[in-house]
């Protein structure tokens, strides 16, 4: 057993955070952090691209919806049913910009490739409802970025692309038309 793992309980939160971010840390340290570290360290751990399967399972069995959503964002959770479950458990509990980042397009990793099309459709439906009920009271970036990101998503459905192509905002409608072209090329032999 290494000195590092023996001394984990004695480390500070900053040291745990740095270990959680480290891609080269041993699996047993990742599992220990997933079980015992504070929430911010678990967020960093869930965003770690080299997270071991056992640590993923520990995070999935925990309570934090944000940590689970970080697993989706980082493509560590690929099962469509598990992604649906994470989305359902957090869609009304976290803000709209986090929904965009966790399930549609990560700010630093690009599209969240494993999000199923029905989750994207529900995200867009919630966006339309929010826009209708807030009297355009959302900040400008969100009002266009989310639908454009959905249109550019690799799992954008034909139904969603048609809806987006008829959007009032020109840039969103153009992204929707581009999605229609992409989908038609995918379906053509």
């Amino acid at each position: 057993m290494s000195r590092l793992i023996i001394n984990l309980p004695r480390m500070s939160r900053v040291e745990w955070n740095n270990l959680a971010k480290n891609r080269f840390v041993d699996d047993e340290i990742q599992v220990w952090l997933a079980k015992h570290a504070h929430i911010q360290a678990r967020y960093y751990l869930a965003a770690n691209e080299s997270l071991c399967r056992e640590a993923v399972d520990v995070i999935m069995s925990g309570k934090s919806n944000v940590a689970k959503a970080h697993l989706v964002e980082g493509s560590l959770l690929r099962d469509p049913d598990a992604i649906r479950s994470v989305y359902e458990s957090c869609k009304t509990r976290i803000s709209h910009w986090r929904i965009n980042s966790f399930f549609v397009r990560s700010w630093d990793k690009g599209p969240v490739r494993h999000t199923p099309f029905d989750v994207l459709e529900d995200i867009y439906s919630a966006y339309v409802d929010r826009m209708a009920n807030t009297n355009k009271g959302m900040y400008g970036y969100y009002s266009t970025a989310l639908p454009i990101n959905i249109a550019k998503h690799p799992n954008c459905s034909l139904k969603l692309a048609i809806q987006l192509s008829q959007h009032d905002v020109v840039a969103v409608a153009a992204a929707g038309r581009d999605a229609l072209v992409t989908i038609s090329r995918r379906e053509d032999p």
Side-chain angles (χ1 to χ4, degrees), residues 61-135:
S61 66
K63 293 180 183 178
S64 174
N65 291 321
V66 174
K68 294 173 187 177
H70 273 295
L71 294 173
V72 175
E73 177 189 28
S75 295
L76 294 167
L77 198 60
R78 297 179 180 189
D79 177 41
D81 292 330
I83 293 171
R84 284 183 193 97
S85 173
V86 170
Y87 173 71
E88 287 298 322
S89 69
C90 68
K91 72 179 181 179
T92 59
R93 296 180 180 173
I94 61 177
S95 61
H96 53 272
W97 64 269
R98 278 193 156 179
I99 292 288
N100 183 21
S101 179
F102 290 147
F103 296 98
V104 183
R105 180 175 178 82
S106 170
W107 66 273
D108 64 340
K109 297 178 181 94
V112 181
R113 299 200 174 279
H114 301 289
T115 303
F117 74 91
D118 55 315
V119 171
L120 293 173
E121 289 175 357
D122 191 63
I123 291 169
Y124 184 69
S125 174
Y127 158 84
V128 169
D129 291 345
R130 191 176 290 120
M131 290 300 284
N133 294 329
T134 59
N135 196 20

Side-chain angles (χ1 to χ4, degrees), residues 6 12 17 59 62 64 82 85 88 93 117-118 149 157 168 179:
I6 292 169
S12 69
N17 289 347
I59 291 171
S64 174
S85 173
E88 287 298 322
R93 296 180 180 173
F117 74 91
D118 55 315
N149 289 341
S157 66
D168 295 339

Side-chain angles (χ1 to χ4, degrees), residues 30-61:
Q30 289 180 344
V31 172
W32 189 95
L33 290 170
K35 288 180 181 177
H36 304 291
H38 62 287
I39 193 66
Q40 185 62 52
R42 284 184 275 149
Y43 292 165
Y44 288 131
L45 190 64
N48 187 331
E49 62 193 31
S50 64
L51 190 62
C52 71
R53 188 75 235 161
E54 189 179 351
V56 169
D57 294 340
V58 170
I59 291 171
M60 284 302 292
S61 66

